[in-house]
């Protein structure tokens, strides 16, 4: 057993964290022989609830969990971190404009970015989950100038997993038989789930998705809409937002950063767009297909993009550009 890895989860008293913390603590993310220190940050009114979460983590009697630190203070939470998973954000309330939501979150992520800059290791990997995730991630990164931009990513793995699963369900195969779906762009309803480059394993043979499904109108219509609007569909049914599936996607995302992607496979992740070859404007936090090795991601290059895809990729880039402009305005006043 080596040195413990120090992991922060924010919004730690919330429902995504409730599903996430057990998976991390039992070794699903960093491996079965990697000791952990879990730091749990939430706002002051949630401290009593957080105490209950700490009790439950203790009661799981987990061998890898060396220490649990609940706090409402950024200087405690962000100290010497190896990984920061920023789940906490201001949720959208009834009648709230997206602009108001952005403003509230700029404040949070500016503050957390500055705390990362001041207290965390410079090698820290930061994963933003709280929505609007892409723009929150960009703001955190801009507020932490001493930490490399590449160390920041936002979660689009839930969308990626949703796309993978829809294809698997349609074909009657397991999700593991489907690989290399792509989520381009924003973690919003403008995201573009792209299966032009994806493959499915049917009876030991790798086949393209269009060839396997033979239903172009479904792939260009209902499939895309289902993935784009899945979060809203879950809320409508459960009256709560996705938690179990979000936590699973966070585990997948962080595990891939830590251990790398399997050979021949790529995953979707919101990352800084600088230097991409797909015509996405610079300085956006945009979801791309990436491969990961030695804890560093690289763009998957050279995928041919058809006109249908290009239009959808540009649409989501436009939304992200507008979000960024609004957020950067607030940033100077936050």
């Amino acid at each position: 057993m080596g040195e413990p890895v120090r992991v922060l989860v924010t919004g730690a008293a919330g429902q995504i964290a409730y599903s996430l913390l057990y998976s991390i603590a039992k070794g699903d993310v960093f491996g079965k022989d990697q000791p952990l220190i879990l730091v749990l940050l939430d706002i002051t009114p949630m401290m009593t609830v957080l105490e209950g979460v700490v009790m439950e983590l203790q009661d799981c009697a987990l061998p890898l969990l060396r220490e649990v630190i609940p706090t409402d203070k950024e200087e405690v939470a962000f100290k010497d971190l190896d990984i920061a998973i920023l789940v906490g954000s201001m949720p959208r309330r009834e009648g709230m404009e997206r602009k108001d939501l952005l403003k509230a979150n700029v404040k949070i992520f500016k503050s957390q970015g500055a705390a990362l800059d001041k207290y965390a290791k410079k090698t820290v990997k930061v994963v933003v989950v709280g929505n609007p995730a892409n723009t929150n991630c960009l703001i955190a990164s801009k507020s932490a100038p001493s930490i490399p931009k590449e160390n920041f990513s936002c979660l689009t793995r839930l969308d990626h997993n949703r796309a993978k699963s829809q294809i698997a369900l349609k074909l009657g195969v397991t999700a593991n038989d489907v690989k290399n779906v792509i989520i381009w762009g924003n973690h919003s309803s403008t995201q573009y789930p792209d299966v032009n480059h994806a493959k499915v394993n049917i009876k030991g043979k790798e086949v393209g998705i269009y060839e396997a499904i033979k239903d172009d109108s479904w792939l260009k219509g209902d499939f895309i809409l289902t993935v784009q609007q899945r979060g809203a569909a879950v809320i409508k049914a459960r009256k709560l937002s996705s938690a179990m599936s979000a936590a699973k996607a966070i585990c997948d995302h962080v595990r891939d950063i830590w251990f790398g992607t399997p050979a021949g496979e790529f995953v979707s992740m919101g990352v800084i767009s600088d230097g991409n070859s797909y015509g996405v404007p610079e300085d956006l936090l945009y979801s791309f297909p990436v491969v990961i090795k030695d804890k560093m991601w690289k763009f998957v290059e050279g995928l041919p993009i058809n006109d249908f895809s290009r239009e959808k990729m540009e649409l989501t880039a436009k939304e992200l550009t507008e979000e960024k402009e609004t957020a950067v305005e607030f940033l100077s006043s936050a």
Side-chain angles (χ1 to χ4, degrees):
M1 295 256 185
E3 279 292 293
V5 169
R6 198 175 178 97
V7 183
L8 166 68
V9 176
T10 72
Q15 60 146 1
I16 292 177
Y18 194 72
S19 289
L20 175 66
L21 290 167
Y22 175 63
S23 294
I24 294 174
K26 79 178 205 302
D28 287 359
V29 178
F30 299 100
K32 299 294 181 198
D33 52 5
Q34 175 59 63
L36 301 163
I37 296 170
L38 276 181
V39 190
L40 310 180
L41 176 70
D42 216 312
I43 55 174
T44 310
M46 297 304 285
M47 284 300 108
T48 313
V49 176
L50 197 55
E51 286 302 326
V53 175
V54 173
M55 286 186 233
E56 284 208 69
L57 281 167
Q58 290 167 344
D59 299 348
C60 288
L62 295 160
L64 295 173
L65 195 52
R66 292 298 157 82
E67 200 181 346
V68 182
I69 303 166
T71 184
D72 56 359
K73 296 179 175 56
E74 287 184 341
E75 62 274 20
V76 175
F78 288 90
K79 186 141 187 56
D80 297 334
L81 292 179
D82 294 296
I83 294 258
I85 305 172
L86 309 184
V87 181
S89 64
M90 168 71 83
R92 190 168 185 169
R93 304 224 166 85
E94 204 80 28
M96 199 181 199
E97 291 291 323
R98 198 172 170 89
K99 220 170 167 153
D100 301 331
L101 184 70
L102 264 173
K103 189 170 192 172
N105 280 300
V106 164
K107 208 173 157 178
I108 295 168
F109 286 87
K110 178 183 183 179
S111 178
Q112 295 189 351
L116 281 162
D117 203 54
K118 193 169 174 185
Y119 302 112
K121 292 181 180 172
K122 298 306 172 196
T123 53
V124 66
K125 302 291 185 196
V126 184
V127 179
V128 177
V129 179
N131 283 318
N134 298 59
T135 299
N136 288 347
C137 188
L138 189 66
I139 294 301
S141 172
K142 285 185 181 298
S143 306
S146 70
I147 295 168
K149 290 179 189 181
E150 294 72 34
N151 289 22
F152 287 80
S153 60
C154 82
L155 188 77
T156 56
R157 186 60 167 266
L158 178 52
D159 310 302
H160 179 101
N161 286 350
R162 286 165 171 164
K164 206 173 168 170
S165 170
Q166 287 301 313
I167 297 295
L169 287 167
K170 185 82 167 172
L171 289 167
V173 298
T174 72
N176 252 10
D177 292 320
V178 181
K179 68 175 193 184
N180 298 351
V181 302
I182 300 169
I183 304 295
W184 298 100
N186 199 1
H187 173 64
S188 73
S189 58
T190 67
Q191 61 171 271
Y192 170 44
D194 177 9
V195 293
N196 285 295
H197 313 286
K199 298 270 186 277
V200 57
N201 189 326
I202 296 177
K203 296 179 186 138
K205 190 166 167 271
E206 279 201 350
V207 188
I209 302 297
Y210 274 82
E211 188 189 337
I213 287 182
K214 299 185 175 60
D215 182 350
D216 290 16
S217 70
W218 181 78
L219 284 168
K220 289 184 166 175
D222 283 349
F223 162 70
I224 291 175
L225 285 171
T226 299
V227 176
Q228 286 174 332
Q229 295 168 9
R230 187 67 158 191
V234 171
I235 291 176
K236 193 164 183 245
R238 277 196 82 223
K239 310 290 177 271
L240 292 163
S241 57
S242 319
M244 177 174 34
S245 55
K248 158 64 166 59
I250 295 164
C251 289
D252 291 346
H253 179 116
V254 177
R255 192 188 322 103
D256 284 344
I257 288 175
W258 208 250
F259 292 109
T261 43
E265 281 193 43
F266 49 75
V267 295
S268 307
M269 217 177 246
V271 294
I272 193 73
S273 60
D274 300 3
N276 78 89
S277 60
Y278 294 103
V280 176
E282 303 271 297
D283 199 38
L284 287 183
L285 215 293
Y286 187 102
S287 181
F288 288 93
V290 299
V291 289
I292 304 165
K293 196 182 169 201
D294 303 327
K295 300 188 174 65
M296 296 298 287
W297 58 267
K298 279 197 175 85
F299 295 120
V300 175
E301 299 286 8
L303 298 171
I305 305 294
N306 61 30
D307 291 344
F308 178 82
S309 294
R310 170 73 54 211
E311 190 180 326
K312 295 221 169 324
M313 286 163 69
E314 283 172 0
L315 187 76
T316 190
K318 183 173 177 287
E319 181 183 59
L320 277 170
T321 304
E322 286 163 10
E323 259 184 45
K324 177 182 117 171
E325 284 165 1
T326 308
V328 168
E329 253 170 69
F330 292 140
L331 190 58
S332 47
S333 60

